[in-house]
Amino acid sequence: MANLIDGKAIAAKIRGEISTEVAELKNKGVIPGLAVVLVGEDPASKVYVSMKEKACQDVGIFSDEHKLPADTTETELLDLIDKLNCDLRIHGILVQLPLPKQINTERVLEAISPHKDVDGFHPYNVGRLVVGKPVFQPCTPYGVMVMLKETGIDLNGKEVVVVGRSNIVGKPVALMCLAQHATVTICHSRTKDLAAKIGNADVVIAAVGVPEMIKGDWIKQGAVVIDVGVNRVGEKKLVGDVEFARASERASAITPVPGGVGPMTITMLLQNTVESARRTCR
């Protein structure tokens, strides 16, 4: 059976280190600040924002919440972002997605100052990641890389297969693995013979958003499986993108769902915010 990669435990360790960093910055007169903007009443977004607020409180980060009505105009949102860009108390700005249909998401993300873009979605930060000189890295793939490092998994020379090509996870995590000298294959819905490609992987990173799409029998004996997917099946059950039971019989290490990658995402948001605040001291 595979070793479980405990995302909760790793996240708790990193948050302890973040708390220490925040205390050190406060001794220098700098209080890290994160502005979170929520537009509308999307239930999942509201839960996620409340989790971010609590995480900030737990480590001592100043949390500045802006909860706007669903009929907020694009101009109103852009005006708020402009004010937050100029607010010296704020080191990170996060606009919770998805946004209502009357607002152009791309325009909003590009309006955030690249130096406060702790989500790592601004084209400037994407470009920095591409050339191997990242400033802010997207939080979920950043969390994946920290999990691999904390688990002692070296990607140098390994065959990594990423299933999923989103701008939020698939593409950036592929670039991060490439920076660690892995040989990376990106697969997606139109990939031919997906099973064969996964069967050749030393490390599988699944981020496709389809319940148990990747069958356990496809996993190479001894491979590492990082399952980013969180899919609700029925009213209560959550499953990943990988068929966990069978995959765990073949893999050497695997992330559970829930309790794997999930706890790392907010943790890396906190880390990016603290790093942004630290730069003001340099």
Side-chain angles (χ1 to χ4, degrees), residues 33-46:
L34 173 66
V36 179
V37 181
L38 173 65
V39 184
E41 299 291 331
D42 180 79
S45 292
K46 289 173 71 175

Side-chain angles (χ1 to χ4, degrees), residues 181-202:
H181 311 295
T183 299
V184 183
T185 301
I186 302 178
C187 298
H188 47 79
S189 60
R190 300 186 185 180
T191 297
K192 295 180 180 178
D193 201 357
L194 179 61
K197 289 179 171 58
I198 289 174
N200 191 48
D202 300 308

Side-chain angles (χ1 to χ4, degrees), residues 195-215:
K197 289 179 171 58
I198 289 174
N200 191 48
D202 300 308
V203 179
V204 177
I205 301 174
V208 69
V210 178
E212 299 184 333
M213 172 182 160
I214 298 170
K215 304 308 176 188

Side-chain angles (χ1 to χ4, degrees), residues 16-31:
E17 296 168 357
I18 290 171
S19 294
T20 300
E21 291 181 72
V22 171
E24 291 172 353
L25 285 169
K26 287 182 177 179
N27 288 336
K28 297 177 182 178
V30 177
I31 301 174

Side-chain angles (χ1 to χ4, degrees), residues 14 93 153 231 252:
I14 302 297
I93 301 171
I153 297 167
N231 309 285
S252 60

Side-chain angles (χ1 to χ4, degrees), residues 34-37 48 52 91-97 109 112-122 125-126 129 135-142 167-169 172 176 265-266 268-270 272-273:
L34 173 66
V36 179
V37 181
Y48 197 46
K52 291 172 183 175
H91 302 94
I93 301 171
L94 183 146
V95 177
Q96 183 63 41
L97 303 180
L109 294 179
I112 298 170
S113 167
H115 305 293
K116 295 188 177 185
D117 169 40
V118 287
D119 248 345
F121 293 160
H122 193 284
N125 286 317
V126 174
L129 182 61
V135 177
F136 293 117
Q137 301 179 80
C139 299
T140 298
Y142 188 9
N167 293 332
I168 295 174
V169 181
M176 294 176 191
T265 298
I266 293 178
M268 304 326 297
L269 173 68
L270 304 176
N272 279 344
T273 302

Side-chain angles (χ1 to χ4, degrees), residues 7-237:
K8 288 182 179 179
I10 296 172
K13 174 179 179 290
I14 302 297
R15 291 191 192 195
E17 296 168 357
I18 290 171
S19 294
T20 300
E21 291 181 72
V22 171
E24 291 172 353
L25 285 169
K26 287 182 177 179
N27 288 336
K28 297 177 182 178
V30 177
I31 301 174
L34 173 66
V36 179
V37 181
L38 173 65
V39 184
E41 299 291 331
D42 180 79
S45 292
K46 289 173 71 175
V47 169
Y48 197 46
V49 165
S50 67
M51 291 170 62
K52 291 172 183 175
E53 292 169 358
K54 183 180 185 304
C56 284
Q57 293 170 3
D58 289 345
V59 300
I61 290 175
F62 164 58
S63 179
D64 184 29
E65 299 94 25
H66 297 266
K67 297 176 181 178
L68 308 178
D71 60 357
T72 298
T73 67
E74 184 177 301
T75 299
E76 290 170 334
L77 180 55
L78 291 174
D79 286 345
L80 172 60
I81 290 171
D82 187 51
K83 291 176 183 177
L84 294 173
N85 283 338
C86 299
D87 191 336
L88 297 180
R89 302 174 305 157
I90 300 302
H91 302 94
I93 301 171
L94 183 146
V95 177
Q96 183 63 41
L97 303 180
L99 291 169
K101 61 183 179 181
Q102 75 271 16
I103 297 175
N104 184 311
T105 299
E106 184 176 340
R107 192 172 296 141
V108 168
L109 294 179
E110 290 186 11
I112 298 170
S113 167
H115 305 293
K116 295 188 177 185
D117 169 40
V118 287
D119 248 345
F121 293 160
H122 193 284
Y124 172 83
N125 286 317
V126 174
R128 295 276 306 201
L129 182 61
V130 170
V131 298
K133 297 181 178 180
V135 177
F136 293 117
Q137 301 179 80
C139 299
T140 298
Y142 188 9
V144 168
M145 300 308 292
V146 170
M147 291 178 79
L148 290 169
K149 180 181 178 182
E150 290 288 329
T151 312
I153 297 167
D154 184 4
L155 297 183
N156 192 341
K158 299 287 178 60
E159 293 281 348
V160 175
V161 170
V162 177
V163 187
R165 52 179 169 175
S166 72
N167 293 332
I168 295 174
V169 181
K171 291 176 184 176
V173 82
L175 290 166
M176 294 176 191
C177 290
L178 193 62
Q180 296 298 314
H181 311 295
T183 299
V184 183
T185 301
I186 302 178
C187 298
H188 47 79
S189 60
R190 300 186 185 180
T191 297
K192 295 180 180 178
D193 201 357
L194 179 61
K197 289 179 171 58
I198 289 174
N200 191 48
D202 300 308
V203 179
V204 177
I205 301 174
V208 69
V210 178
E212 299 184 333
M213 172 182 160
I214 298 170
K215 304 308 176 188
D217 287 337
W218 298 356
I219 304 300
K220 183 170 75 173
Q221 198 74 38
V224 173
V225 177
I226 306 294
D227 194 346
V228 181
V230 180
N231 309 285
R232 188 170 297 280
V233 177
E235 291 188 7
K236 295 183 178 180
K237 187 179 180 181

